[in-house]
Amino acid sequence: MNGNAQWLMRPDRAVGIVGYGAYIPRYRLPGAEIARIWTGGNGGAPVKEKAVAGLDEDVVTMAIEAARNALLCAEIDARHIRAVWVGSESHPYAVKPTSTIVAESIGASPNIQAADWEFACKAGSEAVQAAIGLVGSGMTQYILSIGMDTAQGRPGDALEYTAGSGGAAFLLGPAAESYAVIGGSYSYVTDTPDFWRRAGEVYPSHGDRFTGEPAYFAHTISAASALMEMMNTTAAEYDYAVFHQPNVKFPARAAKMLGFAPEQISAGLLANEIGNVYSGSCMIGLTAILDAAQPGDRILMVSYGSGAGSDAFDLRVTERVKRKPPGVYSTADYIARRTPIDYATYVRYRDKLKD
């Protein structure tokens, strides 16, 4: 291990993902439909379609569904969980935690800690990072970390094409019970204002091309490169890699810059089918990878959040991946369960008509 090893975050006792679950709404808005409204069909679209939350769905309801899937996957009683953390940039309440509702709904309360996390699109991975520390210190046995978001894009803005809804839940616990053990993690953060939304504003603003460089690529590449250097690994030693997915091109380009082949990222690259699900983007990609992975497979996961920062994780799949209990929805199940909608229905579902 190199001289930068002091920056590697590794717990005192081994920690892994003992349960995981995704949730994606069934409604899909094609990119071509957005282009039809705003450009007359000219210019194309950055993704084929995006997932849209329905009238009765928000971050709370979707987080509950993902949490229930994670619990079924883990085969543990919710009362054994000591913390529920929900990362999102679209919490339904400005003052009222999402996490307490989720904890109550899955039967984990009241003997529990709960909190909401925010860091743009890496709020979910921040919650995972903190959970590794708490479980790894021996302070608690299980923590549920969730990354979940609903679409937020100003009508006609470039974000509207990709801002999707959905996310994933990871139950962190002892390595011996895990589907994948976390070998180490690393975070890279700077004050880069590429994307923001002030209090009281309905839609976020962004720095257009600035969001690629020096924002997404500088942080993603720096975090991934540093972690691999500290773990003494190269891209060739990973079976899978998954990155934050604001569109299809960004993660594909980042993977190429780091030396990964297209087949290493294909299993977790879901942006074309569901859009950018913000806080759950790389997390939901990891659920798809875990659904397909085999024991011994090695995975690199790298999140990105505007403002700006990246969390990178090195994971090793265990034998337990062969024994996933029946009846748990896979990520592929949610992607296949789709109902196309038109732009007018999308406007109604996402309350786009403002006074």
Side-chain angles (χ1 to χ4, degrees), residues 7 53 90 117 124 127 164 182 237 270 282 312 334:
W7 297 331
S90 49
W117 292 71
I182 298 163
E237 294 174 68
L270 310 180
C282 65
Y334 280 116

Side-chain angles (χ1 to χ4, degrees), residues 252-268:
R253 179 183 163 193
K256 185 176 181 180
M257 292 169 69
L258 290 162
F260 289 94
E263 57 268 23
Q264 290 171 286
I265 67 168
S266 59

Side-chain angles (χ1 to χ4, degrees), residues 23-31 33 48-53 165 270 272-275 331-343 345-346 349:
Y23 180 77
I24 304 166
R26 69 168 55 247
Y27 302 108
R28 303 287 196 279
L29 178 66
E33 176 69 358
K48 177 183 176 183
E49 61 186 17
K50 68 175 188 177
V52 176
S165 300
L270 310 180
N272 210 33
E273 292 83 14
I274 64 174
T331 304
D333 291 334
Y334 280 116
I335 291 174
R337 188 201 66 158
R338 56 182 296 277
T339 300
I341 58 174
D342 59 17
Y343 193 84
T345 304
Y346 161 72
Y349 283 4

Side-chain angles (χ1 to χ4, degrees), residues 111-131:
N111 302 305
I112 195 167
Q113 197 272 344
D116 290 357
W117 292 71
E118 291 186 8
F119 193 138
C121 295
K122 83 177 189 84
S125 66
E126 284 283 333
V128 171
Q129 188 79 275

Side-chain angles (χ1 to χ4, degrees), residues 17 19-23 63 65-70 144-148 167-171 283 287:
I17 298 170
Y20 66 93
Y23 180 77
E65 292 295 326
R68 287 172 174 165
N69 283 331
L144 183 64
S145 295
I146 303 170
M148 192 67 62
F170 291 156
L171 188 62
M283 291 174 64
T287 66

Side-chain angles (χ1 to χ4, degrees), residues 140-206:
T140 188
Q141 189 86 340
Y142 303 107
I143 294 180
L144 183 64
S145 295
I146 303 170
M148 192 67 62
D149 262 301
T150 56
Q152 294 188 87
R154 190 185 310 276
D157 186 81
L159 285 177
E160 187 173 44
Y161 285 88
T162 58
S165 300
F170 291 156
L171 188 62
L172 282 298
E177 303 174 27
S178 297
Y179 287 89
V181 176
I182 298 163
S185 63
Y186 168 78
S187 294
Y188 181 90
V189 173
T190 72
D191 181 18
T192 304
D194 58 311
F195 180 95
W196 64 93
R197 179 168 62 85
R198 286 189 176 273
E201 293 292 326
V202 176
Y203 299 113
S205 300
H206 56 91

